[in-house]
Amino acid sequence: MTGPNNRFATALMKALEKKNLEGFDYLEFKQSVGRLTEIGMDLDTAINSAFITGSSVGLTKEKLVKTAKYYSEVLQDEKAQFMRSLEKHLVDNVEGKAKQTGELKKKIANWESKIEELQQQIAAAKAQIEAADSQITAARTKAEENQKGFDEALEVITKTIQQDVADINRVLS
């Protein structure tokens, strides 16, 4: 993942680390499997080796699957927080600007009825509207990019966890 997606993946991984349960569980198991595959071990052997290591400190298949589900829930909580933040961003940066432009348009209608003496005020208000419209467009675009990046990062990590659980169930059955 690159750019904003990497930023979201990093934030999600920090959230997982922050909510890391004590002891050897899914996160430590996943790190162990990752290190073993990095040195050339095939996935199934890496899963078995990591599980054997973890079982020496109390890891069971049930604990592994249960903690993987726990971390998936942590990710869903992060998504809920992200969506609340995104909604606040939209309210602050889109709805407020939209209200501002609506009020300025009403002022323009009044100023145009006064003709010559109000020409300077009308020009200034139109410039404000253009700036606000640009800000609205930029804010919406940024919000959509952020949501897309977050969703992509979340999907990658969630699919990895799901695949890990499937591999754990397949290999350790």
Side-chain angles (χ1 to χ4, degrees):
M1 285 179 266
T2 59
N5 296 354
N6 190 37
R7 177 175 53 111
F8 293 126
T10 299
L12 288 170
M13 293 308 292
K14 282 183 182 178
L16 290 176
E17 290 170 16
K18 184 177 177 183
K19 299 282 185 159
N20 190 357
L21 300 171
E22 282 197 37
F24 196 98
D25 64 4
Y26 171 78
L27 284 186
E28 289 75 18
F29 172 83
K30 178 68 175 165
Q31 291 169 350
S32 182
V33 169
R35 286 190 296 272
L36 293 171
T37 56
E38 283 175 8
I39 62 170
M41 191 177 285
D42 69 272
L43 180 63
D44 289 2
T45 305
I47 289 171
N48 274 318
S49 296
F51 183 75
I52 289 168
T53 300
S55 65
S56 70
V57 290
L59 183 67
T60 64
K61 178 183 172 187
E62 292 74 24
K63 180 179 180 181
L64 193 55
V65 171
K66 182 179 178 181
T67 57
K69 289 179 184 176
Y70 163 79
Y71 291 115
S72 290
E73 290 170 5
V74 168
L75 291 173
Q76 290 307 310
D77 289 344
E78 287 299 309
K79 179 175 183 175
Q81 289 177 28
F82 174 80
M83 294 307 291
R84 284 190 296 274
S85 174
L86 183 64
E87 185 175 327
K88 182 183 181 322
H89 168 79
L90 288 173
V91 166
D92 293 347
N93 293 299
V94 175
E95 291 178 17
K97 294 292 181 191
K99 181 179 177 185
Q100 180 185 12
T101 60
E103 291 169 1
L104 287 173
K105 288 177 183 178
K106 288 179 186 175
K107 286 182 181 181
I108 289 172
N110 290 333
W111 293 335
E112 286 176 338
S113 68
K114 295 178 184 175
I115 314 238
E116 280 292 327
E117 70 186 59
L118 300 176
Q119 287 298 328
Q120 291 178 346
Q121 290 176 331
I122 291 171
K126 286 182 179 181
Q128 283 183 315
I129 289 172
E130 289 176 13
D133 285 343
S134 294
Q135 291 172 345
I136 289 169
T137 300
R140 282 189 176 135
T141 299
K142 182 68 175 170
E144 290 168 0
E145 289 170 357
N146 282 343
Q147 183 171 5
K148 181 180 178 203
F150 180 91
D151 288 343
E152 288 173 0
L154 177 66
E155 183 178 346
V156 168
I157 293 170
T158 301
K159 283 184 178 180
T160 299
I161 290 173
Q162 291 169 345
Q163 183 61 50
D164 289 344
V165 169
D167 289 340
I168 290 165
N169 285 326
R170 179 179 49 79
V171 173
L172 301 178
S173 57

